[in-house]
Amino acid sequence: MGAVRKLPPTALPRPSARARILSAAADLARDVGPANLSLDAVAARAGVSKGGLLYHFPAKLDLLEALVGDHLETFDRDLETQQALLGAGPAAALHAYLDVSLADCRKQTPPPAGVLAAIVQHPEMLKPIKHFKRQILDRLKADTGHDATTLVAFLVMEGLRSMKLFDADVLSDEETATAMEALRAMIGRIEEAGGV
Amino acid sequence: MGAVRKLPPTALPRPSARARILSAAADLARDVGPANLSLDAVAARAGVSKGGLLYHFPAKLDLLEALVGDHLETFDRDLETQQALLGAGPAAALHAYLDVSLADCRKQTPPPAGVLAAIVQHPEMLKPIKHFKRQILDRLKADTGHDATTLVAFLVMEGLRSMKLFDADVLSDEETATAMEALRAMIGRIEEAGGV
DNA sequence: TTTACTGTACCGTCTGGACGGTAATGTCAA
DNA sequence: TTGACATTACCGTCCAGACGGTACAGTAAA
C-alpha cells in the first residue's frame, strides 16, 4: 500500500492533499454515480488514508460543502475576470456569462459531478446554489435591460449545464455552437435596438 | 400493523400497490434527497410491507427502472395526444413539445425526483433517457426545418426541466412566462419566413 | 514541538435482499 | 356445487455487508 507515494514534495509540487481529495471525489462521483460516493473510496482514489481524509474534512458533509463552495467560487472568479476582459461593451455581463458557462461545460473533468453528489445527498445544499444563480440572473437582467432575451439566454445555459452535470450530452458540439450563435445573434439584436 | 388496510376492494378503488409504491418513492426522493432513497422508507410511505414491495420490485434496480420508464412513457403519450390536438399547424411538434414540457414542470408532485434518484444511483440509466431526448430533438428539427431555433427552444426547456428536477426554481412564474413568450415569438418568426 | 498526515482497528447503524409464511382470489375437474 | 390446487399479493423477520465516524499509536518533515 502507498508504495509510490514518496516523491520529494519540492520537485513537481504535488497538488495539496485537500485539492487531490476534492478532485478525486468529483471523479468518483462521475464514475460510480453521485449517490454512491463513499469516504473510503474517495480516500483510496486520492491516495490518502482515511484518517488523512478525515483530517481535512471531519465529516462527509464538510467534504460535500467544499465541493459546492469551490465550484461556486471558481465560477464567480472566472466570471469577474472574463467581464473585466470584455470591458464595458454592450451586454458585456451577459456575454461574459455565456463565455464562462460554455468554458465550464467544456472542462474535461467537470467538478459538477461533485456538486451533483452534494445536492442529491443533502438537498439543503441547493440553497446557496439557488441564491448564487439568482444573483447572477438579476445582475444580467440589470445589465442588458431586456428581460426576455436574458431569461432565454440564462435558460439555454442552464440546459447546457444540466447535460454536463449528468455527463449526458444530447447535443453534438456543432449543435451547441449553432445554438450559441443564435443566442448571440439574439443578444446582438437588442444591442442594435439600443437596449443597452 | 396493517390495521387500516382492510377496506373492501370494490369501494373507492385504492390505487394499485405498484402505483402507490412508485409515487411514494418519488415523494420520498424529494423529501430525503434522491441519494437517500431506501426500500424500507419507500415501503413505509407506500403503506406496504417490505416483503410486499419486494414482491412488486424484486430488486431496487427494478424500482428505479420503473420510475424512469413510467416517466418516459407518460411524457411520450402526452406528447402524442398534444400533437394530435394541435393538428397539422406550423411547427406543431415543437409547440406540442413546449406545451407538454411546461405542463410536466407544473405538476405539483413531480415524478422527476424519482427519475433523479434513479440516475444518481445508477448512472447507466441515463442511456434510455438520452436516447429518448435525442429522438425527440431529431423529430423537432425535422418538423421545424430550422435547427437554430429548435435547439434554443430545446435547451430552454431543458433548463426549465433541470430546475424542476432539483426542486429549485430560480425563476418566478412570470419570468418563465416571459421566456416562453419570447420563445414562441421566435418560433413564429420562422413560421412567417416560410420555414415550415 | 507542531503540523500533517499514515495505518489499523473498531463500533453502531442502516440497507438491500433472502426467506418462509399466509390470506384472498381464481381455475377447473369431479 | 364443491373440493383441490395454483396464483397473486402481500407480511414480518432476519442477516451479511457496507457505511460514516471514532480512536489512537506512529512518523517524517519544518
Side-chain angles (χ1 to χ4, degrees), chain A residues 33-36 116 120-121 123 126 130 134 137 141 151 154-156 159-160 162-163 165-166 169-171 175, chain B residues 33-36 116 120-121 123 126 130 134 137 141 151 154-156 159-160 162-163 165-166 169-171 175:
Chain A
N36 309 321
L116 184 54
V120 299
Q121 279 175 68
L126 268 173
K130 252 176 90 169
R134 186 66 232 184
L137 179 58
K141 280 170 76 172
L151 287 166
F154 181 79
L155 283 172
V156 164
L160 234 35
S162 86
M163 287 181 185
L165 196 59
F166 294 111
D169 278 299
V170 172
L171 270 59
E175 287 175 322
Chain B
N36 310 320
L116 184 54
V120 299
Q121 280 175 64
L126 269 173
K130 253 176 89 168
R134 185 66 232 184
L137 180 58
K141 281 170 75 172
L151 287 167
F154 181 80
L155 283 171
V156 165
L160 233 36
S162 86
M163 287 182 187
L165 197 58
F166 294 112
D169 278 298
V170 172
L171 271 57
E175 287 175 321

Side-chain angles (χ1 to χ4, degrees), chain A:
Chain A
M1 280 309 140
V4 202
R5 318 223 24 261
K6 265 300 103 72
L7 38 165
T10 50
L12 208 155
R14 197 144 84 110
S16 74
R18 190 194 138 90
R20 258 160 46 225
I21 291 169
L22 252 20
S23 89
D27 288 356
L28 247 170
R30 229 183 46 262
D31 286 4
V32 303
N36 309 321
L37 201 61
S38 77
L39 296 185
D40 284 349
V42 172
R45 176 164 309 204
V48 163
S49 72
K50 188 170 177 186
L53 189 158
L54 288 165
Y55 173 79
H56 288 283
F57 305 99
K60 194 181 192 182
L61 187 62
D62 297 321
L63 172 61
L64 297 175
E65 272 171 358
L67 245 14
V68 174
D70 267 35
H71 182 70
L72 258 37
E73 277 169 34
T74 304
F75 190 87
D76 202 31
R77 210 175 327 113
D78 289 354
L79 202 55
E80 271 178 44
T81 48
Q82 184 65 15
Q83 202 165 345
L85 203 140
L86 290 186
L94 188 51
H95 281 297
Y97 172 75
L98 261 47
D99 291 342
V100 174
S101 294
L102 206 62
D104 186 45
C105 286
R106 281 209 221 284
K107 279 178 192 157
Q108 57 278 55
T109 308
V115 175
L116 184 54
I119 295 172
V120 299
Q121 279 175 68
H122 292 271
E124 71 271 18
M125 245 177 270
L126 268 173
K127 243 181 64 182
I129 299 176
K130 252 176 90 169
H131 181 73
F132 181 76
K133 287 188 179 177
R134 186 66 232 184
Q135 267 190 325
I136 287 184
L137 179 58
D138 285 334
R139 221 190 303 160
L140 294 179
K141 280 170 76 172
D143 182 64
T144 63
H146 194 286
D147 288 7
T149 303
T150 309
L151 287 166
V152 168
F154 181 79
L155 283 172
V156 164
M157 296 325 282
E158 283 297 308
L160 234 35
R161 204 188 315 283
S162 86
M163 287 181 185
K164 293 292 175 177
L165 196 59
F166 294 111
D167 201 25
D169 278 299
V170 172
L171 270 59
S172 68
D173 287 353
E174 294 83 48
E175 287 175 322
T176 304
T178 303
M180 290 305 295
E181 223 174 284
L183 216 51
R184 306 264 192 194
M186 226 178 130
I187 299 168
R189 236 167 283 136
I190 65 165
E191 287 166 14
E192 286 165 20
V196 179

